[in-house]
C-alpha cells in the first residue's frame, strides 16, 4: 500500500518592495531627504544612498522632501502587487551652475519648492 502525503501549503505572498535611490551629487550632499509614502514618513536617504522598503500592495503615492527646507518633489503615483519590485530614483532638477548663481532659488520659488524629480528606472 502506497502512503500518500497531501500537505496543504499555505501560500504566503511575497511582500511588495520598492527601492529608492538618491543620485549622488554635490548639490544638497550634506542634507538627508525624507521619503514619504502616502503622507507617512518611511525613511531618510543620504546622498548616493539606496534604501528598500516593504510596502502593502495597492495604489500609492511617494514624495521626497529635503529635511531642512521647503524643497520637495511632486507626488509620484504607482501601483504595486505582492511580489513586485519597483526601483525609483530621485534627483534635483538643477545643477552646479544654478547653485552657484542662486538661480535654483528662483526656480524653487516659482515652482512652490518642487525641484526634486522622481522617476522609475
Amino acid at each position: 500500500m502506497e502512503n500518500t502525503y497531501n500537505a496543504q501549503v499555505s501560500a504566503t505572498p511575497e511582500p511588495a518592495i520598492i527601492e529608492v535611490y538618491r543620485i549622488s551629487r554635490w548639490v544638497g550632499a550634506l542634507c538627508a531627504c525624507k521619503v514619504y509614502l502616502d503622507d507617512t514618513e518611511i525613511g531618510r536617504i543620504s546622498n548616493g544612498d539606496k534604501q528598500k522598503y516593504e510596502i502593502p500592495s495597492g495604489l500609492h503615492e511617494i514624495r521626497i522632501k529635503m529635511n531642512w527646507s521647503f524643497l520637495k518633489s511632486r507626488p509620484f503615483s504607482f501601483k504595486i502587487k505582492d511580489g513586485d519590485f519597483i526601483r525609483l530614483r530621485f534627483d534635483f532638477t538643477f545643477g552646479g551652475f544654478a547653485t552657484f548663481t542662486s538661480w535654483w532659488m528662483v526656480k524653487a520659488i516659482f515652482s512652490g519648492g518642487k525641484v526634486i524629480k522622481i522617476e522609475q528606472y
Side-chain angles (χ1 to χ4, degrees), residues 17 50 73 75-76 82 92 99 102 114:
I17 297 174
K50 194 182 289 187
S73 70
F76 181 85
D82 288 334
F92 294 94
T99 303
S102 300
K114 295 177 179 133

Side-chain angles (χ1 to χ4, degrees), residues 28-71:
L30 300 177
C31 302
C33 288
K34 297 177 183 179
V35 180
Y36 291 89
L37 183 72
D38 302 327
D39 296 325
T40 302
E41 184 179 337
I42 61 171
R44 293 178 185 223
I45 299 182
S46 299
N47 191 32
D49 199 9
K50 194 182 289 187
Q51 299 288 331
K52 290 182 183 176
Y53 305 100
E54 287 185 16
I55 63 171
S57 61
L59 184 61
H60 296 285
E61 209 172 65
I62 192 165
R63 299 172 194 253
I64 306 294
K65 183 177 184 308
M66 186 163 263
N67 67 351
W68 58 269
S69 74
F70 70 102
L71 302 180

Side-chain angles (χ1 to χ4, degrees), residues 25-28 92-105:
R25 294 189 41 198
W26 63 271
V27 174
F92 294 94
T93 59
F94 57 86
F97 179 76
T99 303
F100 285 123
T101 60
S102 300
W103 180 249
W104 72 271
M105 284 190 255

Side-chain angles (χ1 to χ4, degrees), residues 5-11:
Y5 179 71
N6 292 328
Q8 289 187 358
V9 178
S10 63

